[in-house]
Amino acid sequence: MMEFCLQIGDESQESCELSFSLLSILKKSFTYVLQRFGNRESEPFIPFLGMSSEEVGKLASFFDLTLDSPQRGNLGAYLGCLEEHKMLVEFFLRYRNRDGEISLWVSHLLATASLGENHLWQDMGLQNRAELGFLLRSLFFPLFSANKQDMRWKRFFYRKLCEEEGIFVCKAPNCKDCSDRPICFGPE
């Protein structure tokens, strides 16, 4: 196992360990999502995962990524999803295993991919749902472990977020009674 730790100012922060396989998955996903959601054809268009150019520069340096400069996209579509994106980033930050830049970056990655129209693992450029599960278990264990019934991840995230906000939009009092159960829990 390789040891890496990026710290935000506090040099006394406990070190963190990330496996080589997790770093490989993250590099692949960052590369895919930055391209997929950061070019002019993107819908939605979210340049640099919604991060500052300084922060994305640190990410690119850490993962040895070559970044294209952000192209102009549909600014109206970007502004239309900006609040939702921010809300999702904050949601993921509440459930991260530890503080640090990597979990900040992955929170932006997850928030950006959550706005896509496919399964989350697909919108993150991963091979399968198991890779996504490994990433979530490694960096967002409280959130990963809360999905006890193995609900599809985007649906689970939005359901949990709505519950936290006190917004209940379910068709039934519980998932077992809901007519959407095959959509939320079916095979991907």
Side-chain angles (χ1 to χ4, degrees):
M1 190 178 290
M2 300 176 70
E3 186 174 301
F4 293 91
C5 191
L6 292 183
Q7 300 173 350
I8 303 174
D10 181 8
E11 297 301 299
S12 66
Q13 182 179 1
E14 187 176 310
S15 68
C16 54
E17 290 186 7
L18 299 176
S19 68
F20 181 75
S21 57
L22 178 60
L23 289 171
S24 297
I25 288 170
L26 288 173
K27 181 176 181 172
K28 172 177 56 173
S29 189
F30 278 120
T31 301
Y32 178 84
V33 173
L34 282 162
Q35 175 59 38
R36 162 69 179 86
F37 293 96
N39 68 62
R40 78 180 69 210
E41 293 85 29
S42 299
E43 188 58 44
F45 171 63
I46 305 170
F48 290 144
L49 310 174
M51 294 189 294
S52 70
S53 56
E54 177 185 355
E55 201 61 47
V56 83
K58 290 180 198 175
L59 179 152
S61 177
F62 183 82
F63 285 102
D64 193 28
L65 302 177
T66 303
L67 298 176
D68 298 328
S69 49
Q71 299 175 357
R72 294 179 187 209
N74 184 342
L75 189 57
Y78 175 60
L79 295 175
C81 70
L82 186 59
E83 283 305 312
E84 183 177 352
H85 187 268
K86 285 182 184 179
M87 188 170 50
L88 285 164
V89 169
E90 291 169 6
F91 171 76
F92 291 119
L93 289 173
R94 287 194 297 272
Y95 288 96
R96 61 188 171 173
N97 293 357
R98 59 180 71 90
D99 292 336
E101 288 180 312
I102 290 180
S103 61
L104 172 70
W105 301 336
V106 178
S107 294
H108 279 269
L109 175 77
L110 288 167
T112 301
S114 291
L115 296 173
E117 54 194 39
N118 300 309
H119 294 295
L120 184 58
W121 63 269
Q122 293 170 325
D123 282 330
M124 291 180 69
L126 301 177
Q127 284 184 330
N128 52 45
R129 193 168 191 254
E131 280 189 337
L132 174 59
F134 175 64
L135 184 155
L136 292 170
R137 186 176 57 251
S138 300
L139 298 173
F140 299 87
F141 187 76
L143 194 57
F144 174 82
S145 63
N147 189 0
K148 296 181 186 325
Q149 295 182 10
D150 201 28
M151 182 181 271
R152 292 182 183 165
W153 285 111
K154 284 184 190 180
R155 289 186 182 270
F156 177 75
F157 296 153
Y158 278 94
R159 181 182 177 108
K160 186 125 179 91
L161 186 59
C162 287
E163 286 174 0
E164 288 179 3
E165 297 293 321
I167 303 167
F168 297 96
V169 292
C170 296
K171 290 182 171 184
N174 63 55
C175 289
K176 287 192 309 189
D177 299 331
C178 182
S179 61
D180 280 346
R181 184 168 178 73
I183 295 169
C184 295
F185 294 95
E188 294 189 59

